[in-house]
Amino acid sequence: MKAVYDLELPYDVAVTTSDNDSFYVVFLFSSAEKAEYFHQCLIFKREINLHVLKEDSGKFTFVFQSSNSPQSILIKTNRTLENNPPLNKILDKDYREYSYLTFGYKEKEQLFYDQVNSYPLFLSYLKE
């Protein structure tokens, strides 16, 4: 078994939509193994919350909370509504029931994420 200090935190968040137009918030890791380990430690069979903050600069910060962690995990991004249009779906009430949290990684700018192990997400959105 890995030690908890092997736990890698997400370095960024990608947002994407699937073929059936579901909205996915994807925590990004350096590898599939690191993503899966985070999933096992902090997401699988846990109570989770994800809050989205829009800073005055227009950049988004994601605040993740797990019942298996004593602290919140802040994931600051350089993503804005202008440079990442799918973020508009966070604000769209029609997507609230079709939003999911999952995890993945990028390889040669290609996004790989786990649709099978995705979790319904009830985002809370705040302007900072």
Side-chain angles (χ1 to χ4, degrees), residues 13 20 29 36 40 43 46 56 64 91 98 107 112 123:
V13 175
N20 67 358
F29 297 87
E36 178 58 31
Q40 290 297 320
I43 298 175
R46 311 283 189 229
D56 290 338
F64 174 75
L91 310 175
Y98 305 103
E107 188 174 293
F112 295 94
L123 288 168

Side-chain angles (χ1 to χ4, degrees), residues 112-127:
F112 295 94
Y113 64 98
D114 191 343
Q115 281 187 316
V116 174
N117 289 313
S118 59
Y119 298 87
L121 192 55
F122 303 99
L123 288 168
S124 69
Y125 170 75
L126 299 168
K127 286 186 180 178

Side-chain angles (χ1 to χ4, degrees), residues 46-62:
R46 311 283 189 229
E47 290 183 30
I48 59 171
N49 290 305
L50 186 65
H51 308 284
V52 182
L53 303 171
K54 183 178 177 190
E55 300 173 14
D56 290 338
S57 65
K59 295 178 182 177
F60 283 80
T61 297
F62 293 81

